Amino acid sequence: MEGIAIALAACVGVALICRRYAVPPIPFYIITGLLLGTAGLGIVETSDVSEWIAHMGLLFLLFTMGLHLHPGEVAKRRGSFLIAGIIDLCVNFAAGFAVAFCIGLPLYDAVVLAGAFYISSSAIALSSLIDNRKLGFRESDTVIWLMVFEDIMLVALLILFTAQEVSPFRIIGIILCVAIAAFACVWKFQGRLRQFFAREDELPILAVFLAVVVAVAVSEVTGVPDSLFVIILGSAVSLAAADRAEAVARPFREVFLVIFFVFFGISVSFSGVPSLLILASVIVLAIITKLVSALVIGKAVHGRVLSGIDIWTDTASRGEFSILLALLYGSPAVVPVVAAMVVVTSCFGSFTGKFSIHIRRWCGRIIAGK
Amino acid sequence: MGFFHQVLPGIGTKYELETESGDLISVIFMPNGRVQLYTQPAQCPECYAADLNPMETRRLGNVLTGAIMEAEEEGVEIAFSALADLRIVVHTYIIREQLSGKSITDLNIRSRTGVTVLAVSRDGKNTVNPRPDFRFMAGDAVVVIGESDQIRTFEQEFME
């Protein structure tokens, strides 16, 4: 427990500084972990307890992600939602796969790196839109729905990776059964569920925690990852009480997720990493490919290339979902590459998100030839 | 004029109003109770934003719906269209030193102005429907009700 106490105390200090200067704390939690752990001073090591807490952080993150996947709202989105999502997927996933292939990763690891390369950090993007007051721009709607599209693609990737270990028919069958049961239950009892989540006592908190723990238990029995179960649960609950369930789950997510980020940093070892030049090239490409896809989206959806600059400044960061893919499915060769990519792109993305209006003006002047 | 609303996953609910002159006004309600308000003039790529807490949101709402707003005093006018367009004003005032120690009967408020004192707030405690012998103290916040002419007379008689 001393390790967790030291890591958490360091993170409280980091969070204080980050809030003071209005920058996202995620990359700095990871840097704190790198400094404290295997890659740095080596004063904190992972333990069973820290791994359990970090895993719960991951599950609460995915549960709240599921809450944002309201089937009705997603179904209403057509045209621009699909166009933006497909452009983002094609450009960045393909580029990530090509990068992984060039640095000599085997096929499975290449797909993991491509996924981590493709998925932006929703946490950083959304907090940038709110904190930097950009929600009034039409491009912000595109960014928000792009994050939802990436979430759906993450679910597809999780199913794909799981299907490598368990029979694809078995996994799809179980997921469908669980999804139908969860959505049918919520649909049938949505009035009562809404009343239940409106309670001011501890029962909604206990119920949300229980739901996540039950997902872990069911996963152990069925062999299907708990990450998929909690996403389905979150999406089902979003039919009845998305806002209230998110408010209840938020304290768990905030605390456990900090442990998740810092212990990810602690566990990273750079011993098997490719050369610094290759690492730098991967990071630069990760930033450039997001710029390319954003410019194409800006032109295709908003009719202006400059809109793409706004989209890029908020989607350049990789974060929690890239780490998730690397931790759950990546080999020791992939994890440090993803760690470095997340740290650098999220710091870079925080900067571009904060100064996006200046960056757009500057690019506008260049395009206009002034 | 267009009016739209949509759910923004992970953010809240966004309402958008496009005015006849082409200006765009967006209001985003977030689950923590805060509201972000944006205005984007027509033909202008820039957005102007304000971040409001729930109290500020209500005050802005009062202003936009035509209520009277002053630094420490505020009010709301209610129109009853079913009662020959009867318009009733509810207004708050802060009692000044010269009224301190005087009762509602001493001041003869209703017969002099027509307004009724609905409630008095003193040191965080509220007295609803105060008795005629209720004595004011400087700093009391009073809520009065009446028609706009009566409210104006009350202001001239006691607040100037």
Side-chain angles (χ1 to χ4, degrees):
Chain A
M1 288 300 282
E2 309 87 63
I4 296 174
I6 293 168
L8 209 48
C11 288
V12 170
V14 165
L16 267 173
I17 297 167
C18 289
R19 296 298 172 204
R20 169 77 180 78
Y21 294 101
V23 291
I26 293 174
F28 299 100
Y29 292 146
I30 301 169
I31 292 170
T32 306
L34 290 171
L35 291 173
L36 294 174
T38 318
L41 302 170
I43 53 176
V44 180
E45 288 179 356
T46 54
S47 64
D48 288 346
V49 179
S50 70
E51 279 180 9
W52 185 84
I53 298 175
H55 189 63
M56 292 308 281
L58 191 67
L59 294 182
F60 275 101
L61 170 73
L62 293 171
F63 178 74
T64 45
M65 183 195 106
L67 289 172
H68 301 159
L69 295 179
H70 186 289
E73 293 297 332
V74 174
K76 278 187 208 163
R77 313 296 302 184
R78 294 187 187 90
S80 58
F81 169 64
L82 285 176
I83 291 168
I86 290 168
I87 293 169
D88 182 39
L89 172 69
C90 291
V91 173
N92 292 292
F93 194 88
F97 191 79
V99 164
F101 192 72
C102 288
I103 60 176
L105 290 176
L107 181 66
Y108 186 85
D109 274 348
V111 178
V112 175
L113 185 63
F117 195 92
Y118 153 62
I119 296 183
S120 302
S121 167
S122 298
I124 294 175
L126 298 187
S127 70
S128 166
L129 293 178
I130 295 171
D131 297 343
N132 300 313
R133 300 183 184 180
K134 292 188 279 187
L135 291 167
F137 291 111
R138 289 272 158 82
E139 290 83 356
S140 300
D141 295 359
T142 306
V143 170
I144 292 164
W145 285 101
L146 209 50
M147 296 300 106
V148 174
F149 189 92
E150 289 187 359
D151 291 347
I152 295 168
M153 288 302 110
L154 176 69
V155 176
L157 280 173
L158 291 176
I159 294 173
L160 180 74
F161 290 130
T162 310
Q164 304 298 310
E165 296 154 13
V166 187
S167 153
F169 295 111
R170 180 179 149 80
I171 183 173
I172 290 170
I174 293 171
I175 287 169
L176 275 179
C177 289
V178 171
I180 290 167
F183 279 97
C185 280
V186 173
W187 186 258
K188 173 84 177 156
F189 300 108
Q190 58 179 306
R192 287 184 189 176
L193 209 57
R194 210 168 282 135
Q195 281 177 349
F196 178 79
F197 273 104
R199 295 174 68 115
E200 292 294 330
D201 54 21
E202 72 279 20
L203 277 170
I205 303 169
L206 283 173
V208 165
F209 197 81
L210 173 70
V212 172
V213 173
V214 165
V216 179
V218 174
S219 157
E220 284 170 4
V221 175
T222 59
V224 176
D226 42 17
S227 47
L228 283 168
F229 284 141
V230 289
I231 295 171
I232 292 168
L233 272 177
S235 185
V237 171
S238 75
L239 295 178
D243 289 347
R244 184 71 186 125
E246 182 161 4
V248 168
R250 189 180 300 130
F252 291 120
R253 186 191 65 190
E254 298 297 324
V255 174
F256 292 159
L257 208 52
V258 171
I259 301 282
F260 169 74
F261 287 126
V262 73
F263 274 91
F264 169 71
I266 286 167
S267 67
V268 169
S269 164
F270 285 100
S271 56
V273 82
S275 75
L276 201 61
L277 185 67
I278 291 175
L279 210 54
S281 308
V282 172
I283 293 165
V284 171
L285 274 171
I287 292 168
I288 291 174
T289 56
K290 277 285 174 186
L291 173 63
V292 171
S293 63
L295 292 177
V296 179
I297 292 168
K299 184 70 183 165
V301 175
H302 299 279
R304 294 186 327 142
V305 173
L306 267 183
S307 294
I309 300 291
D310 285 323
I311 295 167
W312 171 66
T313 53
D314 288 312
T315 55
S317 306
R318 309 316 194 271
E320 62 280 13
F321 297 128
S322 301
I323 296 173
L324 177 154
L325 287 174
L327 265 185
L328 292 184
Y329 303 104
S331 70
V334 173
V335 174
V337 177
V338 173
M341 182 176 70
V342 167
V343 168
V344 177
T345 59
S346 53
C347 287
F348 179 82
S350 311
F351 175 81
T352 55
K354 206 174 178 71
F355 297 102
S356 63
I357 291 171
H358 302 283
I359 296 170
R360 189 190 53 201
R361 278 189 200 144
W362 183 66
C363 293
R365 280 200 291 270
I366 291 174
I367 291 171
K370 289 179 186 173
Chain B
M1 189 181 77
F3 186 71
F4 315 95
H5 98 277
Q6 64 165 320
V7 172
L8 298 178
I11 301 276
T13 307
K14 180 179 188 179
Y15 295 86
E16 257 183 10
L17 175 75
E18 193 167 357
T19 66
E20 283 178 1
S21 54
D23 299 335
L24 190 68
I25 299 163
S26 309
V27 183
I28 292 102
F29 287 86
M30 290 182 276
N32 60 5
R34 295 194 77 85
V35 167
Q36 287 197 349
L37 175 74
Y38 295 85
T39 56
Q40 188 173 17
Q43 311 299 327
C44 176
E46 306 295 335
C47 251
Y48 301 94
D51 190 79
L52 309 170
N53 66 28
M55 172 65 83
E56 292 158 347
T57 307
R58 277 196 295 278
R59 290 196 151 208
L60 180 64
N62 280 342
V63 173
L64 293 173
T65 51
I68 307 157
M69 289 289 294
E70 292 170 35
E72 290 184 320
E73 299 165 355
E74 58 185 314
V76 62
E77 184 170 298
I78 309 159
F80 295 92
S81 53
L83 300 174
D85 205 20
L86 171 65
R87 299 178 85 82
I88 299 265
V89 177
V90 181
H91 206 294
T92 66
Y93 294 97
I94 305 296
I95 294 293
R96 295 176 184 181
E97 194 62 53
Q98 64 263 34
L99 299 183
S100 187
K102 292 183 178 164
S103 69
I104 295 175
T105 312
D106 294 342
L107 297 169
N108 220 358
I109 293 174
R110 192 180 297 173
S111 56
R112 282 171 69 185
T113 67
V115 307
T116 303
V117 177
L118 272 184
V120 182
S121 177
R122 178 182 298 165
D123 301 329
K125 286 186 180 170
N126 297 325
T127 306
V128 180
N129 285 331
R131 292 164 57 90
D133 58 353
F134 183 92
R135 290 189 181 280
F136 293 118
M137 286 176 65
D140 284 353
V142 294
V143 183
V144 297
I145 186 168
E147 291 186 76
S148 55
D149 288 349
Q150 295 169 331
I151 294 287
R152 207 170 300 123
T153 310
F154 176 83
E155 282 180 17
Q156 287 164 356
E157 290 280 330
F158 298 114
M159 293 294 140
E160 288 182 353

